[in-house]
Amino acid sequence: MMDRPKDGPLALLLLLLGHMISALEVPLDPKLLEELPQPPTITHQSPKDYIVDPRENIVIHCEAKGKPHPSFSWTRNGMHFDIDKDPKVLMRPGSGTLVMDISGGERSEAYEGIYQCSAHNELGTAVSNSIVIRQSRSPLWSKERISPIIAQKGQSLILHCRPPAGLPPPIIFWMDNNFQRLPQSRRVSQALNGDLYFSNIQPEDSRSDYICYARFPHTQTIQQKQPISVRVLDNKPAEERAPVFMVPSESVSSKMVLRGEVLEMECVADGLPTPAVSWVKRNGEIPSGRASFLNFNKTLRIMDVSEADAGEYRCFAKNRHGSVHHSIRVTVNAAPYWISAPRNLVLAPKEMGIITCRAAGHPKPSIRWLVNGLPIEDAPKDPSRRVEEDTLIFSEVQTGSSAVYQCNASNLYGYLLSNAFVNILAEPPRVLTLPNIIYQVIRNKPALLECVVFGSPVPTITWFKDSRSSMLEGNAYVFHENGALEIHMSQPSNSGKYTCVARNNLGISENHVYLEVKEPTRILRPPEYQVVQRNRDVVFECKAKHDPSLVPTMTWLKDDRELPDDERFRVDSDRLTITDVTESDAGTYTCIMNTTLDQDSASAQLTVVEAPPTPTVIYEQPGVPTDLELTDPGARSVQLTWTPGDEHNSPIKKFLIQYEDALHQSGVWHNMTEVPGTKTTAHLKLSPYVHYSFRVLALNDVGFSHPSMPSRQFRTNPAAPDENPTEVKGHGTEHNNLVITWKPLTPLQANGPGLQYKVMWRQLDMEKDWTSVSVANVSKFVVSGTPTFVPYEVMVQALNDYGPGPKPSAVIGYSGEDFPSAAPGNVRILVLNSTLAEVHWSPVSLESVRGRLQGYKVHYSRERSLHRHNSHQGKQRTEIFSPNKTSGMLPDLLPYSVYSLRVTAFNGRGEGPSSVPQRFETPEGVPGTPSFFKVSAIDLDSLTLEWGPPHERNGRLSGYTFKYQTAMVSPQVDIATQGWFIGLMSAIALLILILLIICFIKRNKGGKYPVKEKEDAHGDPEIQPMKEDDLTFGEYSDEDHKPLKGSRTPSSGTVKRDGSDDSLVDSGDTQFNEDGSFIGQYSGRSDRDATHDSSEPPSPVNAMNSIV
């Protein structure tokens, strides 16, 4: 290790050297590479771990480039490998690639080992990685005799696969005799080790052909285990049980994974019913983008593991009888990976340079340097070279000291090896960009002129335009590190010849390119909306303007697709004609004007209608206004007159005047003003520094006319700005800055060339003088080094080459906020009930807010339940309270639980530190309903009931309360024995007898007696209909009073009725028959039978027993 005081100068030196050599790369120009000497560079090699197929020849790749072309040699297991001694080993011509021919029956095991390739020329030696050659192996399954497996229904079961160890490991799957994959589910699944797990076995699992197959990918061979026979006994009921983990078997396990690899964790549980598996990460989130849940949620797979994935993961298995969890502690280590791999370095004699080799890993990699394949401490001494840990420093290099350096970064889990050469060259500048290239660009678009150069030392590049008299500089140009020149917004004045000049101490080179700025393509008269009658013709016009030096191409589309292949569609230079229009021609038509540099497009709708029966008056759009004339010119005004076109049977309502600014937005027309349709003149107010052209459109009830031809151009003189930027604001994005923003002026508001903004600021009530800076082409400015969250006065004034704008008004803004520095204190918690708590705190001091206090956040989470059967941890929840609050409610808590709580203050930057965590407990709450309730047996004098404990216990269960009611029918009375009924029947019989005597007397006297009247007056009681209700007779019996029997889980008991009840009881939702059984569930009694109950009022008696 270096002494501490040396770190500062070393860091400064490395920074300086890094800046100096940032462009010292040899360009990949074939002609240049042919001329320049270059040390070897490895371009292709086999992977570090190379598994070969024993049936094929072994090919170990090693390709390299260099000038002169390198020669190659190999080592095997650290010793020189003489390929001439083995006729079966060949090296490909011009390459270092080895080919081991094993077609004659040689065994590939003989060539296993660690190989390394070296590529050498007179400037140095590059080496490859150490390549480990291993033969792929697919051993046979060991012979074994597998006894049939007999299991009781509901038990768990594991069918072991135990495949032979192959290289690489085989892929495992289970199939039957018909080569069909065995179905898998939450209950039956294959684990990562290939074993087949049954959470609970069922009769349908009985079969004699459970076969485990192993597929070896390199040799593409498949081997199978002996079939396993499973018979499931179903001779007694399966007992349900809570989950227990089969894999992993212990309560806590650990797993190590390397950065960038795949992490797989699994939990397989035994239980009945089949448990459901879920996963969480303690104190963190499972990465949703890289994580997936496989094998019916039993496997958690995380791709491309990073250090953030370390921590404790928990899998939970749950069914209705309980839950269990397993903790897996994951640690993430890392094989070395590059932070900054060494890069080739080209230096001129006497120059300085560095090569850095920075790698990370866990544990931290050690760095070892080699030169030309030898450890640097064993290599010949070089006074111009110094090693500082992960950096090589070169100073005052000499011709002939070119070499290839290797950096080896290694730790327990692997290594990295990289070659980087130092090439000492003395080369005058060369411009590699082709001469006399013509760049074409559209006005107001960026232009990029290339100048690729090479030289050693690195040449400096300057640009000139038209002549070598003045060098290009200023905000209008951007000079890139690779030598390119960029012009942000190209203007016609930028057209011309550009010269790129490259210089170093060995010479000078230049190149000429040309820039042509073209006018943009604009559609001047777009197609218009058309309504046409069926079978008529329609014409769409599309007139466009383009740069005369560019070749235009007009394309038409219908509904964004090519025009139909139909001779009715005819395309001319600036119009589209459709003859004999049909309904299918309706749609959107788009004209696109293309050049080699840009394009413009416009669209219009076509509507096809039926022809009117008898057209009367034809109303059309107005004719085009003509004869535009400008008179009475002023500094900021002009008079415009015109002649209106034909009204076409619809009076002109108004004229719309539009203008084009050829200086700032050529080809774009803006609405300026409107005048009534009775006027043909307008006095126009103008802005400075605008090249105006005007046109007029007329409007009637049908629509707008086509635009008139543009007027002559009218130019106004530049002037100072009339207004300042709007929406001026000051705010901070960091704790020590102030960002001043504004809405920039439009080109029309600039009033002249050279538009700039004078940005002014001062601290409110602290500074008298304003600090200012002038900027251009931006809409914000960042003031650095400000105090945290203090008020500033801010102003932005516009100015141009003709002077400043009006004095701006100041606005108040604040510098950036910092995170609060203090936590709320005196946190107290008052538990109000089992689901509600109140938290109190003391407010933070104003000084500690360090910004604008936006409120307080209370973070709380359920740590565990006080009940041993339910220890689930809840997700963290947050309640937000306004800044004037010092207390708040925490709703929706879970009863009988332990909660942790912390309070933070927050401002616009974020949250401050947390208060000391507080814990509190919620009292017991009302338990939930039993998880199930059913009648499991019915006897003559009892019922057996079963129920399960509630899912939400909310405390310690002390017992169950069972409530029931019995119902009995009141006595039924036989009305035939009632005195009032006998008296009524006697009176009716007497009346009938009297009527019969009267009829007999009249008949003897010979009087007429119509039969119908007789029947109407003397109805026969035996044939008169009677209602069923009149014949409702019932009998009362109290012989069938039955007791009700009940039971509860886990113990059962019989509940007897206390005494007998002599009347019907209203039992609410639960109804009983006369014998105490449930109506409609155990009785076959019909609604008709129910109507025979006595209508006399019952006397209700309630009976209730409690089981505690």
Short mmCIF file of all heavy atoms in Angstrom, two decimals, residues 936-985:
data_model
loop_
_atom_site.label_atom_id
_atom_site.label_comp_id
_atom_site.label_asym_id
_atom_site.label_seq_id
_atom_site.Cartn_x
_atom_site.Cartn_y
_atom_site.Cartn_z
N SER A 936 -73.26 -33.24 11.31
CA SER A 936 -72.55 -34.42 10.82
C SER A 936 -73.30 -35.73 11.09
O SER A 936 -73.02 -36.74 10.47
CB SER A 936 -71.16 -34.49 11.48
OG SER A 936 -71.31 -34.59 12.88
N ALA A 937 -74.28 -35.72 12.01
CA ALA A 937 -75.04 -36.95 12.29
C ALA A 937 -76.39 -36.57 12.87
O ALA A 937 -76.54 -35.57 13.58
CB ALA A 937 -74.28 -37.85 13.25
N ILE A 938 -77.41 -37.40 12.55
CA ILE A 938 -78.77 -37.17 13.03
C ILE A 938 -79.26 -38.47 13.66
O ILE A 938 -79.26 -39.54 13.04
CB ILE A 938 -79.70 -36.77 11.86
CG1 ILE A 938 -79.12 -35.54 11.13
CG2 ILE A 938 -81.11 -36.52 12.37
CD1 ILE A 938 -79.88 -35.22 9.86
N ASP A 939 -79.65 -38.37 14.90
CA ASP A 939 -80.26 -39.49 15.60
C ASP A 939 -81.71 -39.16 15.90
O ASP A 939 -82.21 -38.06 15.63
CB ASP A 939 -79.50 -39.77 16.90
CG ASP A 939 -78.05 -40.17 16.61
OD1 ASP A 939 -77.83 -40.82 15.57
OD2 ASP A 939 -77.17 -39.79 17.41
N LEU A 940 -82.41 -40.16 16.49
CA LEU A 940 -83.83 -39.94 16.79
C LEU A 940 -84.01 -38.85 17.82
O LEU A 940 -84.98 -38.08 17.78
CB LEU A 940 -84.46 -41.25 17.30
CG LEU A 940 -84.58 -42.38 16.26
CD1 LEU A 940 -85.13 -43.64 16.90
CD2 LEU A 940 -85.45 -41.95 15.10
N ASP A 941 -83.09 -38.75 18.74
CA ASP A 941 -83.29 -37.77 19.80
C ASP A 941 -82.15 -36.76 19.88
O ASP A 941 -82.02 -36.05 20.88
CB ASP A 941 -83.41 -38.50 21.15
CG ASP A 941 -82.15 -39.29 21.47
OD1 ASP A 941 -81.32 -39.45 20.54
OD2 ASP A 941 -81.99 -39.70 22.62
N SER A 942 -81.31 -36.66 18.85
CA SER A 942 -80.21 -35.69 18.93
C SER A 942 -79.66 -35.40 17.53
O SER A 942 -79.89 -36.14 16.58
CB SER A 942 -79.10 -36.26 19.82
OG SER A 942 -78.55 -37.43 19.22
N LEU A 943 -78.92 -34.29 17.46
CA LEU A 943 -78.15 -33.90 16.27
C LEU A 943 -76.70 -33.72 16.71
O LEU A 943 -76.43 -33.15 17.76
CB LEU A 943 -78.65 -32.59 15.67
CG LEU A 943 -80.09 -32.57 15.14
CD1 LEU A 943 -80.42 -31.16 14.68
CD2 LEU A 943 -80.23 -33.54 13.97
N THR A 944 -75.74 -34.15 15.86
CA THR A 944 -74.33 -33.93 16.13
C THR A 944 -73.83 -32.80 15.23
O THR A 944 -73.98 -32.88 14.00
CB THR A 944 -73.52 -35.20 15.86
OG1 THR A 944 -74.01 -36.23 16.72
CG2 THR A 944 -72.04 -34.95 16.15
N LEU A 945 -73.29 -31.76 15.84
CA LEU A 945 -72.82 -30.59 15.12
C LEU A 945 -71.31 -30.52 15.17
O LEU A 945 -70.70 -30.91 16.15
CB LEU A 945 -73.41 -29.30 15.74
CG LEU A 945 -74.93 -29.28 15.90
CD1 LEU A 945 -75.35 -27.97 16.53
CD2 LEU A 945 -75.62 -29.47 14.55
N GLU A 946 -70.69 -29.97 14.07
CA GLU A 946 -69.25 -29.76 14.02
C GLU A 946 -68.96 -28.36 13.52
O GLU A 946 -69.67 -27.84 12.67
CB GLU A 946 -68.58 -30.79 13.09
CG GLU A 946 -68.64 -32.21 13.60
CD GLU A 946 -67.90 -33.14 12.63
OE1 GLU A 946 -67.30 -32.64 11.67
OE2 GLU A 946 -67.92 -34.37 12.86
N TRP A 947 -67.90 -27.76 14.06
CA TRP A 947 -67.48 -26.44 13.57
C TRP A 947 -65.97 -26.32 13.73
O TRP A 947 -65.33 -27.07 14.44
CB TRP A 947 -68.20 -25.31 14.31
CG TRP A 947 -67.94 -25.30 15.81
CD1 TRP A 947 -66.95 -24.66 16.46
CD2 TRP A 947 -68.72 -25.99 16.80
NE1 TRP A 947 -67.03 -24.88 17.78
CE2 TRP A 947 -68.12 -25.70 18.05
CE3 TRP A 947 -69.87 -26.80 16.79
CZ2 TRP A 947 -68.62 -26.19 19.24
CZ3 TRP A 947 -70.37 -27.28 17.97
CH2 TRP A 947 -69.75 -26.99 19.19
N GLY A 948 -65.40 -25.34 12.99
CA GLY A 948 -63.96 -25.11 13.04
C GLY A 948 -63.65 -23.77 13.66
O GLY A 948 -64.48 -22.86 13.65
N PRO A 949 -62.45 -23.62 14.20
CA PRO A 949 -62.08 -22.34 14.81
C PRO A 949 -62.08 -21.23 13.76
O PRO A 949 -61.86 -21.50 12.58
CB PRO A 949 -60.67 -22.60 15.35
CG PRO A 949 -60.16 -23.74 14.54
CD PRO A 949 -61.35 -24.59 14.21
N PRO A 950 -62.31 -20.01 14.18
CA PRO A 950 -62.34 -18.90 13.22
C PRO A 950 -60.95 -18.63 12.66
O PRO A 950 -59.94 -18.87 13.32
CB PRO A 950 -62.86 -17.72 14.05
CG PRO A 950 -62.49 -18.06 15.45
CD PRO A 950 -62.59 -19.55 15.56
N HIS A 951 -60.91 -18.11 11.41
CA HIS A 951 -59.64 -17.72 10.83
C HIS A 951 -59.07 -16.50 11.56
O HIS A 951 -57.87 -16.37 11.72
CB HIS A 951 -59.81 -17.40 9.34
CG HIS A 951 -60.20 -18.59 8.51
ND1 HIS A 951 -59.40 -19.73 8.43
CD2 HIS A 951 -61.31 -18.83 7.75
CE1 HIS A 951 -60.00 -20.62 7.64
NE2 HIS A 951 -61.14 -20.09 7.22
N GLU A 952 -59.93 -15.59 11.94
CA GLU A 952 -59.48 -14.41 12.68
C GLU A 952 -59.83 -14.61 14.15
O GLU A 952 -60.95 -14.31 14.59
CB GLU A 952 -60.15 -13.12 12.16
CG GLU A 952 -59.77 -12.77 10.73
CD GLU A 952 -60.58 -13.53 9.71
OE1 GLU A 952 -61.67 -14.02 10.10
OE2 GLU A 952 -60.15 -13.65 8.57
N ARG A 953 -58.83 -15.08 14.92
CA ARG A 953 -59.10 -15.35 16.34
C ARG A 953 -59.13 -14.05 17.15
O ARG A 953 -59.87 -13.93 18.11
CB ARG A 953 -58.04 -16.29 16.91
CG ARG A 953 -57.98 -17.61 16.13
CD ARG A 953 -57.17 -18.63 16.84
NE ARG A 953 -57.10 -19.88 16.07
CZ ARG A 953 -56.82 -21.06 16.60
NH1 ARG A 953 -56.58 -21.17 17.87
NH2 ARG A 953 -56.76 -22.14 15.82
N ASN A 954 -58.25 -13.12 16.78
CA ASN A 954 -58.23 -11.80 17.43
C ASN A 954 -58.04 -11.89 18.94
O ASN A 954 -58.51 -11.04 19.69
CB ASN A 954 -59.50 -11.01 17.10
CG ASN A 954 -59.60 -10.70 15.63
OD1 ASN A 954 -58.57 -10.72 14.94
ND2 ASN A 954 -60.78 -10.42 15.11
N GLY A 955 -57.43 -12.92 19.43
CA GLY A 955 -57.18 -13.07 20.86
C GLY A 955 -57.16 -14.53 21.25
O GLY A 955 -57.14 -15.44 20.40
N ARG A 956 -57.13 -14.79 22.53
CA ARG A 956 -57.15 -16.17 23.01
C ARG A 956 -58.60 -16.62 23.09
O ARG A 956 -59.43 -16.02 23.80
CB ARG A 956 -56.51 -16.27 24.40
CG ARG A 956 -55.00 -16.00 24.41
CD ARG A 956 -54.43 -16.30 25.78
NE ARG A 956 -53.00 -16.10 25.81
CZ ARG A 956 -52.42 -14.95 26.14
NH1 ARG A 956 -53.19 -13.91 26.45
NH2 ARG A 956 -51.11 -14.82 26.16
N LEU A 957 -58.95 -17.67 22.38
CA LEU A 957 -60.31 -18.18 22.40
C LEU A 957 -60.57 -18.82 23.77
O LEU A 957 -59.82 -19.69 24.23
CB LEU A 957 -60.53 -19.22 21.30
CG LEU A 957 -60.48 -18.68 19.86
CD1 LEU A 957 -60.71 -19.83 18.88
CD2 LEU A 957 -61.51 -17.61 19.64
N SER A 958 -61.66 -18.40 24.42
CA SER A 958 -62.00 -18.97 25.74
C SER A 958 -63.16 -19.95 25.65
O SER A 958 -63.50 -20.61 26.63
CB SER A 958 -62.36 -17.83 26.71
OG SER A 958 -63.44 -17.08 26.20
N GLY A 959 -63.79 -20.04 24.51
CA GLY A 959 -64.90 -21.00 24.38
C GLY A 959 -65.81 -20.62 23.23
O GLY A 959 -65.55 -19.68 22.47
N TYR A 960 -66.86 -21.37 23.06
CA TYR A 960 -67.85 -21.14 22.01
C TYR A 960 -69.24 -21.07 22.67
O TYR A 960 -69.54 -21.80 23.62
CB TYR A 960 -67.84 -22.27 20.97
CG TYR A 960 -66.55 -22.40 20.23
CD1 TYR A 960 -65.49 -23.16 20.76
CD2 TYR A 960 -66.35 -21.76 19.01
CE1 TYR A 960 -64.29 -23.28 20.08
CE2 TYR A 960 -65.16 -21.88 18.33
CZ TYR A 960 -64.14 -22.63 18.87
OH TYR A 960 -62.97 -22.75 18.20
N THR A 961 -70.08 -20.24 22.18
CA THR A 961 -71.46 -20.11 22.65
C THR A 961 -72.38 -20.65 21.58
O THR A 961 -72.32 -20.20 20.42
CB THR A 961 -71.82 -18.64 22.94
OG1 THR A 961 -70.96 -18.18 23.99
CG2 THR A 961 -73.26 -18.52 23.40
N PHE A 962 -73.20 -21.61 21.92
CA PHE A 962 -74.13 -22.21 20.97
C PHE A 962 -75.57 -21.86 21.38
O PHE A 962 -75.95 -22.04 22.54
CB PHE A 962 -73.95 -23.73 20.96
CG PHE A 962 -74.94 -24.43 20.06
CD1 PHE A 962 -74.77 -24.36 18.70
CD2 PHE A 962 -76.02 -25.12 20.58
CE1 PHE A 962 -75.66 -24.99 17.86
CE2 PHE A 962 -76.90 -25.74 19.74
CZ PHE A 962 -76.74 -25.67 18.38
N LYS A 963 -76.33 -21.32 20.49
CA LYS A 963 -77.71 -20.91 20.76
C LYS A 963 -78.65 -21.68 19.85
O LYS A 963 -78.36 -21.85 18.67
CB LYS A 963 -77.88 -19.40 20.52
CG LYS A 963 -76.99 -18.55 21.41
CD LYS A 963 -77.18 -17.07 21.13
CE LYS A 963 -76.27 -16.22 22.02
NZ LYS A 963 -76.46 -14.77 21.78
N TYR A 964 -79.76 -22.12 20.41
CA TYR A 964 -80.74 -22.82 19.59
C TYR A 964 -82.12 -22.55 20.16
O TYR A 964 -82.29 -22.07 21.29
CB TYR A 964 -80.46 -24.33 19.55
CG TYR A 964 -80.68 -25.04 20.89
CD1 TYR A 964 -81.93 -25.64 21.16
CD2 TYR A 964 -79.67 -25.11 21.82
CE1 TYR A 964 -82.12 -26.27 22.37
CE2 TYR A 964 -79.87 -25.74 23.03
CZ TYR A 964 -81.11 -26.33 23.31
OH TYR A 964 -81.31 -26.94 24.48
N GLN A 965 -83.17 -22.88 19.40
CA GLN A 965 -84.56 -22.71 19.81
C GLN A 965 -85.35 -23.95 19.40
O GLN A 965 -85.07 -24.54 18.35
CB GLN A 965 -85.18 -21.47 19.15
CG GLN A 965 -84.56 -20.17 19.63
CD GLN A 965 -85.08 -18.98 18.86
OE1 GLN A 965 -85.33 -19.09 17.68
NE2 GLN A 965 -85.26 -17.86 19.53
N THR A 966 -86.34 -24.30 20.17
CA THR A 966 -87.25 -25.40 19.81
C THR A 966 -88.61 -24.81 19.49
O THR A 966 -89.02 -23.79 20.02
CB THR A 966 -87.39 -26.40 20.96
OG1 THR A 966 -87.90 -25.73 22.09
CG2 THR A 966 -86.04 -27.02 21.30
N ALA A 967 -89.33 -25.46 18.60
CA ALA A 967 -90.64 -24.98 18.17
C ALA A 967 -91.64 -26.14 18.24
O ALA A 967 -91.33 -27.25 17.81
CB ALA A 967 -90.57 -24.42 16.76
N MET A 968 -92.89 -25.89 18.76
CA MET A 968 -93.93 -26.93 18.88
C MET A 968 -95.24 -26.35 18.39
O MET A 968 -95.55 -25.17 18.57
CB MET A 968 -94.08 -27.39 20.33
CG MET A 968 -92.75 -27.94 20.92
SD MET A 968 -93.00 -28.61 22.53
CE MET A 968 -94.06 -29.97 22.13
N VAL A 969 -96.05 -27.20 17.79
CA VAL A 969 -97.35 -26.78 17.25
C VAL A 969 -98.37 -26.74 18.39
O VAL A 969 -98.46 -27.65 19.21
CB VAL A 969 -97.80 -27.76 16.15
CG1 VAL A 969 -99.16 -27.33 15.62
CG2 VAL A 969 -96.75 -27.81 15.06
N SER A 970 -99.17 -25.71 18.42
CA SER A 970 -100.24 -25.60 19.45
C SER A 970 -101.34 -26.62 19.18
O SER A 970 -101.50 -27.09 18.06
CB SER A 970 -100.81 -24.19 19.45
OG SER A 970 -101.37 -23.91 18.20
N PRO A 971 -102.17 -26.97 20.21
CA PRO A 971 -103.20 -28.03 20.03
C PRO A 971 -104.17 -27.68 18.94
O PRO A 971 -104.59 -26.53 18.77
CB PRO A 971 -103.88 -28.11 21.40
CG PRO A 971 -102.88 -27.50 22.35
CD PRO A 971 -102.13 -26.47 21.59
N GLN A 972 -104.56 -28.67 18.11
CA GLN A 972 -105.56 -28.50 17.08
C GLN A 972 -106.94 -28.94 17.61
O GLN A 972 -107.07 -29.93 18.32
CB GLN A 972 -105.20 -29.33 15.84
CG GLN A 972 -103.87 -28.88 15.20
CD GLN A 972 -103.52 -29.72 14.00
OE1 GLN A 972 -104.02 -30.84 13.88
NE2 GLN A 972 -102.70 -29.16 13.14
N VAL A 973 -107.96 -28.20 17.29
CA VAL A 973 -109.33 -28.42 17.84
C VAL A 973 -110.21 -28.97 16.75
O VAL A 973 -110.24 -28.46 15.63
CB VAL A 973 -109.91 -27.10 18.38
CG1 VAL A 973 -111.30 -27.34 18.94
CG2 VAL A 973 -108.99 -26.54 19.46
N ASP A 974 -110.97 -30.04 17.07
CA ASP A 974 -111.95 -30.63 16.15
C ASP A 974 -113.25 -29.82 16.25
O ASP A 974 -114.01 -29.93 17.23
CB ASP A 974 -112.19 -32.10 16.51
CG ASP A 974 -113.04 -32.80 15.48
OD1 ASP A 974 -113.57 -32.12 14.56
OD2 ASP A 974 -113.17 -34.02 15.58
N ILE A 975 -113.54 -29.01 15.21
CA ILE A 975 -114.72 -28.12 15.29
C ILE A 975 -116.02 -28.91 15.21
O ILE A 975 -117.08 -28.40 15.55
CB ILE A 975 -114.68 -27.06 14.18
CG1 ILE A 975 -114.72 -27.73 12.80
CG2 ILE A 975 -113.42 -26.22 14.29
CD1 ILE A 975 -114.84 -26.74 11.67
N ALA A 976 -115.94 -30.17 14.76
CA ALA A 976 -117.19 -30.95 14.68
C ALA A 976 -117.76 -31.25 16.07
O ALA A 976 -118.93 -31.60 16.19
CB ALA A 976 -116.95 -32.25 13.93
N THR A 977 -116.92 -31.08 17.09
CA THR A 977 -117.40 -31.35 18.46
C THR A 977 -117.75 -30.08 19.19
O THR A 977 -118.11 -30.13 20.37
CB THR A 977 -116.34 -32.13 19.23
OG1 THR A 977 -115.17 -31.30 19.35
CG2 THR A 977 -115.94 -33.43 18.53
N GLN A 978 -117.61 -28.94 18.52
CA GLN A 978 -117.90 -27.66 19.17
C GLN A 978 -119.40 -27.39 19.18
O GLN A 978 -120.11 -27.65 18.20
CB GLN A 978 -117.17 -26.52 18.46
CG GLN A 978 -115.64 -26.71 18.41
CD GLN A 978 -115.04 -26.71 19.79
OE1 GLN A 978 -115.27 -25.81 20.59
NE2 GLN A 978 -114.29 -27.77 20.10
N GLY A 979 -119.94 -26.81 20.28
CA GLY A 979 -121.39 -26.55 20.42
C GLY A 979 -121.92 -25.56 19.39
O GLY A 979 -123.01 -25.76 18.84
N TRP A 980 -121.11 -24.50 19.13
CA TRP A 980 -121.61 -23.51 18.15
C TRP A 980 -121.77 -24.10 16.77
O TRP A 980 -122.68 -23.77 16.03
CB TRP A 980 -120.66 -22.30 18.11
CG TRP A 980 -119.26 -22.65 17.64
CD1 TRP A 980 -118.23 -23.00 18.40
CD2 TRP A 980 -118.80 -22.69 16.27
NE1 TRP A 980 -117.11 -23.26 17.66
CE2 TRP A 980 -117.45 -23.06 16.31
CE3 TRP A 980 -119.43 -22.43 15.04
CZ2 TRP A 980 -116.69 -23.19 15.16
CZ3 TRP A 980 -118.67 -22.54 13.89
CH2 TRP A 980 -117.29 -22.93 13.94
N PHE A 981 -120.89 -25.06 16.45
CA PHE A 981 -121.01 -25.67 15.12
C PHE A 981 -122.26 -26.56 15.05
O PHE A 981 -122.99 -26.56 14.04
CB PHE A 981 -119.74 -26.48 14.84
CG PHE A 981 -119.71 -27.10 13.47
CD1 PHE A 981 -119.38 -26.36 12.35
CD2 PHE A 981 -120.03 -28.43 13.29
CE1 PHE A 981 -119.36 -26.92 11.09
CE2 PHE A 981 -120.02 -29.00 12.03
CZ PHE A 981 -119.69 -28.26 10.94
N ILE A 982 -122.56 -27.34 16.14
CA ILE A 982 -123.77 -28.21 16.15
C ILE A 982 -125.03 -27.36 16.06
O ILE A 982 -125.98 -27.66 15.33
CB ILE A 982 -123.78 -29.07 17.42
CG1 ILE A 982 -122.54 -30.02 17.40
CG2 ILE A 982 -125.06 -29.87 17.54
CD1 ILE A 982 -122.37 -30.80 18.69
N GLY A 983 -125.07 -26.23 16.78
CA GLY A 983 -126.25 -25.35 16.72
C GLY A 983 -126.47 -24.78 15.34
O GLY A 983 -127.60 -24.70 14.85
N LEU A 984 -125.39 -24.36 14.68
CA LEU A 984 -125.49 -23.81 13.34
C LEU A 984 -126.01 -24.85 12.37
O LEU A 984 -126.91 -24.57 11.54
CB LEU A 984 -124.13 -23.29 12.88
CG LEU A 984 -124.05 -22.72 11.45
CD1 LEU A 984 -125.00 -21.53 11.30
CD2 LEU A 984 -122.64 -22.32 11.09
N MET A 985 -125.51 -26.08 12.44
CA MET A 985 -125.99 -27.13 11.53
C MET A 985 -127.47 -27.45 11.79
O MET A 985 -128.24 -27.69 10.85
CB MET A 985 -125.14 -28.41 11.72
CG MET A 985 -123.69 -28.28 11.27
SD MET A 985 -123.56 -28.00 9.48
CE MET A 985 -123.21 -26.23 9.47
#
